[in-house]
């Protein structure tokens, strides 16, 4: 026996004002711009790992993923890929065998140094239509959202993120 059709009611809903929809669309734009500037090269999460290591030096994997703002599985994949490209090394921490210590290699330092200008280009392209006040407000609001939901992220949210 067929299920009777349920009458549909028009529901007023504007998805273009939903923050998740906007963040996802902005992320898609960022990835498209990043891919144009870094053809067949470094991904944004990989750059975040190189940046954290370049700024702070050797880090254990847990601290590194917090600094790079990556979840556990993404961080493990990024570290594996960067190690395969010999841009980083990761070894057991001599002080605590349960931890892994990650370091930049000379090749990683060279790739990072070249990538900084490209990352700045991506950032400028993404924010290109905004004035200085809007840029500051946007970054501040995004930081506030991350802080508000830090318990869901699986890593500590840095109050002063690593720059580069």
């Amino acid at each position: 026996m067929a299920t009777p059709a349920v009458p549909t009611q028009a529901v007023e809903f504007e998805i273009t004002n939903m923050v998740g929809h906007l963040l996802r669309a902005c992320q898609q734009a960022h990835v498209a711009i990043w891919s144009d500037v870094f053809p067949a090269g470094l991904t944004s999460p990989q750059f975040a790992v190189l940046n954290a290591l370049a700024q702070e030096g050797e880090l254990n994997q847990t601290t590194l993923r917090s600094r790079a703002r990556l979840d556990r599985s993404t961080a493990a994949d990024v570290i594996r890929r960067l190690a395969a490209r010999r841009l980083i090394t990761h070894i057991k921490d001599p002080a605590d065998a349960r931890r892994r210590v990650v370091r930049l290699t000379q090749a990683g330092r060279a790739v990072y140094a070249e990538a900084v200008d490209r990352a700045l280009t991506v950032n400028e392209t993404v924010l290109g239509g905004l004035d200085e006040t809007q840029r500051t407000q946007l970054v501040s609001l995004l930081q506030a959202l991350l802080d508000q939901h830090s318990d869901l992220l699986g890593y500590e949210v840095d109050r002063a993120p690593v720059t580069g």
Side-chain angles (χ1 to χ4, degrees):
M1 178 184 296
T3 305
V6 176
T8 58
Q9 291 183 345
V11 177
E12 296 244 354
F13 184 81
E14 186 58 48
I15 195 165
T16 58
N17 293 328
M18 300 298 292
V19 70
H21 178 76
L22 293 169
L23 289 171
R24 183 191 52 75
C26 286
Q27 175 62 11
Q28 286 177 318
H30 178 267
V31 167
I33 293 165
W34 187 277
S35 296
D36 284 345
V37 175
F38 285 86
L42 224 48
T43 65
S44 180
Q46 289 171 348
F47 177 77
V49 165
L50 295 182
N51 182 65
L53 294 170
Q55 297 296 318
E56 297 190 50
E58 175 182 292
L59 293 170
N60 70 56
Q61 211 164 309
T62 302
T63 302
L64 176 58
R65 72 184 188 86
S66 288
R67 296 296 190 271
R69 292 186 169 165
L70 299 174
D71 62 70
R72 189 179 312 265
S73 63
T74 302
D77 182 57
V78 166
I79 289 167
R80 182 180 51 77
R81 290 174 187 268
L82 290 173
R85 292 177 63 184
R86 294 187 165 90
L87 300 179
I88 63 167
T89 61
H90 59 112
I91 60 169
K92 285 188 179 177
D93 186 341
D96 184 350
R98 296 169 296 171
R99 291 184 178 215
R100 299 197 58 87
V101 175
V102 184
R103 296 182 184 118
L104 270 180
T105 63
Q106 287 297 81
R109 287 185 198 291
V111 167
Y112 173 74
E114 187 271 330
V116 170
D117 286 338
R118 289 178 186 235
L120 290 169
T121 297
V122 170
N123 202 58
E124 186 57 37
T125 303
V126 169
L127 298 176
L130 303 179
D131 64 34
E132 233 9 82
T133 300
Q134 291 171 318
R135 290 173 184 220
T136 300
Q137 288 173 335
L138 177 61
V139 170
S140 177
L141 290 169
L142 291 172
Q143 292 284 1
L145 276 175
L146 286 173
D147 288 352
Q148 179 182 351
H149 299 292
S150 64
D151 59 323
L152 302 174
L153 301 175
Y155 54 81
E156 290 183 25
V157 175
D158 297 328
R159 297 292 179 235
V162 174
T163 59

